[in-house]
Amino acid sequence: AVMVVSDHSGGNLPAGMLVVQDRRRLSQLRGLSINLGADAAVYVPGDSLFINVEGGVLKKADGILQLTGITKDRIKKVSSGNEIPVNRVPVNQILADPEKFESTLLVVVKGGFNPLPAPTDTYAGNRTLNDGFGNNTLHTDPKSNFSGNTLPVLANFYGILLNVPSGDSTLPQLRMRKAEDEVVLS
């Protein structure tokens, strides 16, 4: 069974993308994005699913490793309301091995912005997030329901890591799922 970590209620994840993770392979946390279309929004964080992947195709699309060819009838919800363990990851580890963390829910602890935000700066667009170990992009879709919220000085940021196209390669990008993924510290 895999655990759902995507939450489309905030409007900040790629549409139609169901993001799941599990720890079965060598006890390492691994994530997977499944291009499910409108049905992706049916599932919420903490749902445990069995997915029949037979005949599905694993491919990179828009920089993200995705499983395609899966429909809702191949997914069985086992349970819901399960706790998702917190995966605290310093930015330098993300930058060193972005594929390891792709499509997983993680938290950047004691993150601030570079440059320091003005009182009127909002989440919309790409912001440089720094946790003292490195800089990473925090992306917020201007159409998300929290893009107009002002930036905190210091917070813990929960989000899903996606590797997005940048020239001939990809760059890791953290995407908060909803406004509650920000836990303000100051």
Side-chain angles (χ1 to χ4, degrees):
V2 293
M3 184 77 68
V4 174
V5 293
S6 53
D7 184 336
H8 288 276
S9 67
N12 197 42
L13 295 178
M17 196 69 67
L18 175 66
V19 185
V20 298
Q21 66 185 30
D22 81 337
R23 213 176 261 289
R24 247 179 291 153
R25 192 172 144 249
L26 303 172
S27 295
Q28 302 253 345
L29 183 68
R30 293 291 186 250
L32 182 63
S33 290
I34 302 168
N35 195 333
L36 196 60
D39 288 328
V42 171
Y43 303 102
V44 296
D47 284 351
S48 179
L49 309 176
F50 278 125
I51 302 173
N52 178 355
V53 297
E54 193 174 322
V57 177
L58 198 57
K59 66 179 182 179
K60 268 204 185 246
D62 300 322
I64 303 165
L65 187 62
Q66 301 179 29
L67 183 60
T68 61
I70 302 297
T71 51
K72 189 177 175 194
D73 61 323
R74 299 175 71 179
I75 298 174
K76 179 182 178 211
K77 189 189 314 187
V78 180
S79 62
S80 50
N82 297 291
E83 188 176 329
I84 302 169
V86 174
N87 187 26
R88 179 181 173 168
V89 183
V91 169
N92 61 328
Q93 289 182 21
I94 294 169
L95 298 175
D97 194 356
E99 276 81 33
K100 178 180 179 181
F101 300 102
E102 183 175 58
S103 298
T104 63
L105 177 65
L106 55 85
V107 59
V108 172
V109 176
K110 293 183 182 172
F113 294 95
N114 186 5
L116 202 60
T120 56
D121 285 349
T122 66
Y123 276 99
N126 290 330
R127 298 291 180 183
T128 301
L129 182 62
N130 183 292
D131 67 349
F133 295 99
N135 290 321
N136 192 43
T137 300
L138 179 75
H139 176 81
T140 307
D141 188 314
K143 292 184 231 117
S144 74
N145 62 19
F146 61 92
S147 67
N149 294 6
T150 56
L151 297 175
V153 172
L154 191 65
N156 294 341
F157 296 92
Y158 291 80
I160 293 175
L161 189 79
L162 299 175
N163 292 311
V164 297
S166 177
D168 293 338
S169 64
T170 59
L171 285 176
Q173 188 181 80
L174 186 65
R175 289 198 181 200
M176 291 171 35
R177 302 163 301 170
K178 55 189 178 181
E180 293 79 9
D181 281 346
E182 165 205 272
V183 180
V184 176
L185 301 172
S186 69

